[in-house]
Amino acid sequence: MRILIATASRHGSTRELGQWLGSALTARLSDTAMAATVDVRDAADVDSIAEYDAVVIGSGVYMGRWLGDARSLVDREQSELETRPVWLFSSGPIGSGTPPTAKSKWSEASWAIEHKVFGGKLDRSTLSLFERAVVRMINAGDGDDRSRAEVDEWAGDIIGVLTKRLSPSTSAVDRNSSPEKGPSS
């Protein structure tokens, strides 16, 4: 089994979430009988998802939208995404005053098992002048609201779905049908 984690990250924090998820999936897979490889890549570097059995796509959210590289990947690979287990995640909310509902056009994608929203990270020293102005206007402060424990827990959920789909007791019809949509975050 090959699992792709593709991220779009402007300043690296969403990419880091993808790397955390990749490490957690790899560690959990080593505890199962499932032979799998996890590839963590930038969404811009993914030409095709055809060789992957499961896909996770994540994006930083800026001004309420996913980054263009993640949107382009989903648009380009839509028909392939509908044929395999797919999870989506967004990264961006900072601080308790920020609502934990980052939206994308795919937040309610019927073909995705789940769309998870993780807290984000804001480090003004990495921002452009325009981004600093926006941060100043919305009165956002520096911080890192990402949770490695939350990412690890989600990896367990993903492995649970994959294990169930690939177990010998699962019929071929169940394995080839669309995965049951999980709880949406």
Side-chain angles (χ1 to χ4, degrees):
M1 167 176 281
R2 289 193 66 195
I3 302 168
L4 171 66
I5 301 172
T7 61
S9 185
R10 188 173 287 164
H11 299 288
S13 63
T14 304
R15 180 180 303 110
E16 192 171 24
L17 284 170
Q19 291 166 342
W20 291 353
L21 181 61
S23 294
L25 287 172
T26 300
R28 288 177 182 265
L29 284 164
S30 70
D31 294 339
T32 70
M34 201 181 323
T37 302
V38 179
D39 293 335
V40 181
R41 301 177 57 196
D42 286 340
D45 296 336
V46 177
D47 294 324
S48 170
I49 65 163
E51 71 258 28
Y52 294 100
D53 302 298
V55 178
V56 179
I57 302 173
S59 179
V61 176
Y62 291 86
M63 307 230 246
R65 294 187 65 187
W66 267 23
L67 293 171
D69 290 339
R71 293 191 319 262
S72 294
L73 176 61
V74 172
D75 286 341
R76 189 178 66 248
E77 297 292 322
Q78 182 72 51
S79 61
E80 288 285 337
L81 290 168
E82 293 174 0
T83 66
R84 68 201 74 230
V86 176
W87 290 263
L88 307 173
F89 75 88
S90 295
S91 169
I94 298 287
S96 59
T98 306
T101 53
K103 294 288 182 187
S104 76
K105 144 180 168 180
W106 304 282
S107 291
E108 300 300 323
S110 61
W111 45 266
I113 294 172
E114 182 178 14
H115 179 212
K116 182 84 170 163
V117 179
F118 293 108
K121 178 181 177 183
L122 178 61
D123 177 356
R124 290 175 196 248
S125 70
T126 65
L127 303 180
S128 69
L129 287 174
F130 174 74
E131 291 169 327
R132 287 182 200 175
V134 170
V135 165
R136 215 175 358 263
M137 283 191 320
I138 63 172
N139 221 11
D142 284 0
D144 189 348
D145 288 345
R146 300 170 304 157
S147 167
R148 193 160 194 155
E150 190 177 353
V151 172
D152 289 345
E153 182 180 325
W154 196 45
D157 295 345
I158 291 170
I159 294 299
V161 170
L162 291 175
T163 302
K164 182 178 177 184
R165 287 178 57 92
L166 297 174
S167 72
S169 63
T170 305
S171 72
V173 172
D174 290 341
R175 282 194 303 271
N176 294 326
S177 66
S178 293
E180 188 174 313
K181 185 156 173 75
S184 185
S185 295

